[in-house]
Amino acid sequence: MVSGRFADAGTARRRLVTNVLAPPGWTNFVLANPAERGRDGETPPVTWTPDFARLFGEVNDQVNEDIAACEADVDKPWRVWPPDGCCHDFACTKRSVFMQDDGIPSSCLLLAEVQIPDAEYHLVLVVRTTNGQITLDNLTPALLTWPPPGYNLVKMQSAANPDLWEKV
């Protein structure tokens, strides 16, 4: 663990946020694809509009349909637009589309490692919006509020620096 700070939990209580190491897959991914890293510095959340809601749904559907799901393999490199891929490939592809094609700042597009109900570790994309955080997941076409029911956060990218991940 690198350091800790308190974050507003949206209520009177506060949560201790601890910086932790990024997954090795992320580190290798951005070394091979520097443009996919994004920039340092937190920006305001994306303004929630019907157009953005439609865009999030369209990109989620397109990526979920265009990449054939395969069994998770932690040794497999993270990729953008592979013909078949694991959850990290889906999440990185969605993040890339929003950053490169739609100009959404990387600080609004956070990768999150979660544990899903069957105890499997899984990677999703969390979009910071003025209407709260929205989760895009290759396991469902639905846009889910954060955190989705039954998902337990393991760690998430920091909005201030994509190479720092945070554990609550």
Side-chain angles (χ1 to χ4, degrees), residues 74-95:
V74 295
D75 295 325
K76 209 171 191 179
W78 295 17
R79 303 166 295 163
V80 172
W81 286 119
D84 62 346
C86 306
C87 58
H88 52 255
D89 301 316
F90 287 87
C92 286
T93 300
K94 293 169 191 179
R95 185 176 185 272

Side-chain angles (χ1 to χ4, degrees), residues 60-61 64 94 122 135-144 148 151:
N60 194 52
D61 290 346
N64 288 354
K94 293 169 191 179
H122 186 58
T135 307
L136 283 70
D137 187 349
N138 67 297
L139 300 179
T140 180
L143 301 179
L144 307 170
Y151 286 42

Side-chain angles (χ1 to χ4, degrees), residues 127-138:
V127 182
R128 294 175 48 242
T129 79
T130 55
N131 198 37
Q133 295 178 321
I134 306 300
T135 307
L136 283 70
D137 187 349
N138 67 297

